[in-house]
Structures are given as structure tokens and as C-alpha cells.
Amino acid sequence: QVQLVESGGGLVQPGGSLRLSCAASGSIFKINAMGWYRQAPGKQRELVAAITSGGSTNYADSVKGRFTISRDNAKNTVYLQMNSLKPEDTAVYYCNVAVLTVVFRNQVYWGQGTQVTVSS
């Protein structure tokens, strides 16, 4: 059992910034990767950014240069710093973790989602 706690969403004006946080806890042996997805109304869920256990990062083209993903391994927490936000960034953002559990099973967990709204 793994629990994810997300925070940091809200309403922001275009050009503003938000910082999302996601903390994982529970029966975790090893975290293989952590990341953020988003889903806008009428759209499929898409990868925004991801970071592997080795520190390698991957970003969607639409957010490159504006978003930064980072992690705190001691806290099993992943962050998404979002700068220069645009209305098209409006979506529900979901934390995602890929873990090896203490019973040695590879599993993927999702957070409950946090709403990010970019509007003037």
C-alpha cells in the first residue's frame, strides 16, 4: 500500500507560477520513477514531466523551459515548479509514482489530482 499526498494547485494568472508537491509513503522498497501527468477537459491524460531514480528528467514539449521537476529522496517527494503559466496549462495534475514494493512487486500509483487553473 502506497499513499500519495498532493498539494500546491490553485488559481493563478497567466505568467504566474505554482509549485506542486507530491509525497509518497507506505510499503515502498524503492521508487523507480516519479512524475506528473495532467488531464484537461475533453483531453487524454498526458505526461508533463518525469524523473527517474537516477535523476534523468523528461518533459513534454509544451512545458519545456517553463516547468522543472525535482525530487527529495529523503522525503520521497517530487515537485513540479511551474513558471510562465499559460491558460492552456489549465488541467487536473496527477502525481504518479512507479515503485518496487516491500513484497517486491512493481506497481504504479496515482495521486488524487490537484486542479490548476490559469486564468485572468
Side-chain angles (χ1 to χ4, degrees), residues 13-76:
Q13 294 183 348
S17 298
L18 286 173
R19 187 183 188 228
L20 306 183
S21 299
C22 177
S25 62
S27 303
I28 300 171
F29 178 76
K30 179 180 181 293
I31 295 180
N32 296 318
M34 307 183 77
W36 293 93
Y37 289 71
R38 68 186 180 188
Q39 188 166 22
K43 302 290 186 179
Q44 294 184 343
R45 189 172 298 185
E46 64 174 349
L47 174 69
V48 177
I51 185 166
T52 69
S53 60
S56 179
T57 59
N58 184 43
Y59 296 93
D61 289 340
S62 60
V63 307
K64 286 182 179 178
R66 300 187 297 120
F67 292 9
T68 303
I69 189 169
S70 61
R71 65 183 182 181
D72 184 334
N73 291 333
K75 297 180 179 180
N76 284 338

